[in-house]
Amino acid sequence: MNKLNRICLAAGALLMAATPAWADTITVAPGEGAQERLQEALILAEPGDEIVLAAGRFALTDGLSLDVDGVTLRGAGMDQTVLDFSNQLGAGEGLLVTSDNVVLREFGMENSKGDGIKSKGADNIVYYKLRVEWTRGPHEENGAYAIYPVESENVLVDSVTTIAASDAGIYVGQSKNIIVRNSVAKYNVAGIEIENSYGADVYNNLAVNNTGGILVFDLPDIPQQGGRDVRVFNNIVVDNNTRNFAPEGNIVASVPSGMGVMVMSHFNVEVFGNVFAENATGNVLITAYPNQTEDADYNPLPVNILVKDNVQGRAGYKPAMRGGEMLAAAFGGTIPPVTHDGNGSDIVVQDDVPVLSLGFTKPAQPFTEAKPSVVDLSGDADKPLVLKPIVLPEAMEAAVKQ
C-alpha cells in the first residue's frame, strides 16, 4: 500500500469514528406521511446522526436520497422494518446515497421500480444486514440491481440478502477496495458481480438459484477499466440454473443459465476454496469479452487467473451456452465443470477435474470456429495464491459489530 492510500484509509477511519457530541438519534415510524417524514429526516440529518426506522412497513411512493456524510440509517431488522415501494410512482432507485461514511443496516426493501439501494461516489460505505427483494420473483421488469455501490473507495457488503434482481443482486462497479461477505444472493440474473474494479474479496457467501452465481467482469467503454486483483473464495455456489431474465441488450443477458463463477476479461483473479455443485452449464467459465469493441484502451483478455482447491460437484449436464447440446453429446452427455474459451494468458486450473477448451484464438470469434477439446491447464508445479487480503478502515469493521 503506498503512502497516499494509507493516508486516505486513515482519514476515512477518522471520519467514520468521529461522532460529533451533538449527534442526534432521529426516529421515524411507519404510517401516514412516512414518505415525507423519512425524506425530511434524511435531508436534515447532520454528520454523526443516526436515523432509526421503527419496525413496520413503510408504504413509499417515491425514491429516497441521502447526501449527508457520516449518517447511519438503522432499522429493526431486515424482515421487521420494510421499505415498501410497491406503489412507487417514479422509475428510480429506492434509496440513493451520494455521501461518504454512511452505514445502512438492518432493514428490508421491496419492489422498487428501479435499483434497490444505490450509492454513487460514496466512500467508506457499509451495507449490513439488509434485504432487497422483488417479491414476484424473477421478472424482466424488476429493478436491475439490488445492492449497487459504484464509483466508490472502501465498500463493505456484509450479511445482506438479495432476491430477484434483473441484473445483479450484489453489484460493485468501478470501485476500489471491496469486501462482499456472509451474504445470500438468490434468484437474480447475476448473484454477485464485481465489475471494472480494483481489489475485491468475495467470500463466505451463498449464491444459489441465480442464472450465474458470481461474475468477475471487465468491460469496455467505461471510465475505469483494467479490473484486477479479485479473490473469490470459501463461497457456496450451487444450483444456479434460473432462466436468464435480464432485459435484452444488457451484458448479463449473455450469461448462460447454469453458470457458477464466470471470469471475463480481467487481470489477477483467484478462485479457491469454494463449493460448486449442480450448475448445469458449468462451475467455472474463463473467457474473453465476446463482442466486438472499438475501445482502443480496453484489454478483452483474461490474464493471470488461478482456480484451485475448490470442491467441484456435478456440473455441465445441461449446458446452456451456444453449441452446448452438441458439446455435451460429444463428451458423453456432460461437459467438464471448468471451461476456458482458449483466450488469455497465465490461465491455471489446478482442481482435479477436466477442463474444456473451446479452442478460440482471439476474442469475439464466431462459435463456428471453435475447436473444443479437453486440455491440461494445471501447469508444471503448484501455483501459490499471491493476492493480499483486502483491508478496510477499522471504523467500517467496527460499524458492523455495534
Side-chain angles (χ1 to χ4, degrees):
M1 184 182 299
N2 61 38
K3 183 177 180 181
L4 178 59
N5 282 341
R6 290 198 298 272
I7 292 172
C8 289
L9 289 174
L14 287 171
L15 283 169
M16 291 197 72
T19 301
W22 57 87
D24 287 334
T25 298
I26 305 157
T27 300
V28 182
E32 185 175 354
Q35 175 79 49
E36 292 75 16
R37 288 184 285 110
L38 178 50
Q39 183 58 73
E40 182 179 64
L42 293 169
I43 292 172
L44 298 179
E46 297 286 342
D49 285 355
E50 180 171 277
I51 299 173
V52 175
L53 304 173
R57 182 169 288 270
F58 290 70
L60 303 172
T61 57
D62 200 0
L64 303 165
S65 61
L66 173 63
D67 189 30
V68 181
D69 291 346
V71 171
T72 294
L73 184 58
R74 179 196 298 263
M78 66 168 69
D79 296 319
Q80 285 70 42
T81 297
V82 178
L83 306 183
D84 182 356
F85 287 90
S86 297
N87 295 313
Q88 186 177 359
L89 299 176
E93 54 279 316
L95 172 62
L96 174 64
V97 178
T98 51
S99 47
D100 299 335
N101 308 306
V102 167
V103 178
L104 308 171
R105 59 182 298 162
E106 294 167 276
F107 60 88
M109 176 180 291
E110 295 179 359
N111 303 325
S112 58
K113 288 292 188 294
D115 304 317
I117 306 174
K118 179 178 181 179
S119 53
K120 184 174 183 179
D123 295 340
N124 306 330
I125 187 161
V126 175
Y127 293 79
Y128 182 58
K129 290 188 175 178
L130 304 171
R131 175 178 59 87
V132 180
E133 178 177 3
W134 286 267
T135 57
R136 62 184 167 187
H139 194 284
E140 291 78 357
E141 295 179 0
N142 290 348
Y145 305 103
I147 300 291
Y148 183 16
V150 64
E151 299 175 13
S152 302
E153 182 162 354
N154 300 325
V155 175
L156 175 58
V157 180
D158 189 349
S159 304
V160 310
T161 296
T162 64
I163 304 173
S166 67
D167 193 304
I170 301 169
Y171 171 98
V172 186
Q174 300 183 73
S175 295
K176 303 174 183 176
N177 219 45
I178 301 148
I179 291 178
V180 178
R181 69 189 182 200
N182 307 325
S183 294
V184 177
K186 55 185 178 180
Y187 294 107
N188 309 284
V189 174
I192 300 169
E193 182 175 359
I194 306 296
E195 185 175 287
N196 290 60
S197 290
Y198 304 157
D201 278 353
V202 180
Y203 63 95
N204 291 354
N205 302 289
L206 171 62
V208 59
N209 294 130
N210 305 285
T211 300
I214 299 175
L215 312 183
V216 182
F217 281 8
D218 195 62
L219 303 179
D221 304 313
I222 290 177
Q224 179 169 301
Q225 295 185 3
R228 60 181 181 265
D229 303 337
V230 175
R231 304 194 307 162
V232 178
F233 61 101
N234 296 351
N235 302 284
I236 298 175
V237 185
V238 296
D239 280 311
N240 291 290
N241 301 310
T242 293
R243 69 176 178 85
N244 194 321
F245 58 100
E248 187 175 355
N250 191 317
I251 186 65
V252 298
S254 63
V255 174
S257 171
M259 198 70 255
V261 167
M262 184 171 174
V263 179
M264 178 194 293
S265 318
H266 214 280
F267 295 94
N268 311 332
V269 180
E270 294 177 344
V271 180
F272 60 97
N274 303 284
V275 175
F276 297 113
E278 301 301 325
N279 299 301
T281 293
N283 288 335
V284 180
L285 171 62
I286 304 164
T287 181
Y289 180 67
N291 303 322
Q292 298 288 348
T293 175
E294 296 181 357
D295 187 342
D297 296 325
Y298 175 63
N299 166 54
L301 302 174
V303 177
N304 193 25
I305 313 299
L306 174 60
V307 178
K308 66 183 296 183
D309 299 333
N310 300 288
V311 176
Q312 296 275 358
R314 191 173 82 120
Y317 52 90
K318 192 177 181 181
M321 67 175 75
R322 189 178 177 193
E325 289 188 12
M326 182 175 59
L327 287 169
F331 286 92
T334 301
I335 66 173
V338 178
T339 296
H340 174 221
D341 74 345
N343 289 301
S345 59
D346 296 321
I347 312 298
V348 177
V349 179
Q350 296 187 325
D351 287 344
D352 188 21
V353 293
V355 177
L356 169 65
S357 172
L358 298 181
F360 291 132
T361 57
K362 58 184 179 182
Q365 203 167 349
F367 188 80
T368 52
E369 298 178 9
K371 297 179 179 179
S373 64
V374 174
V375 295
D376 182 357
L377 299 179
S378 62
D380 297 329
D382 182 55
K383 184 173 182 178
L385 302 165
V386 297
L387 295 180
K388 296 181 179 178
I390 297 300
V391 178
L392 296 171
E394 291 183 5
M396 295 179 69
E397 295 288 0
V400 303
K401 296 176 181 176
Q402 296 176 359

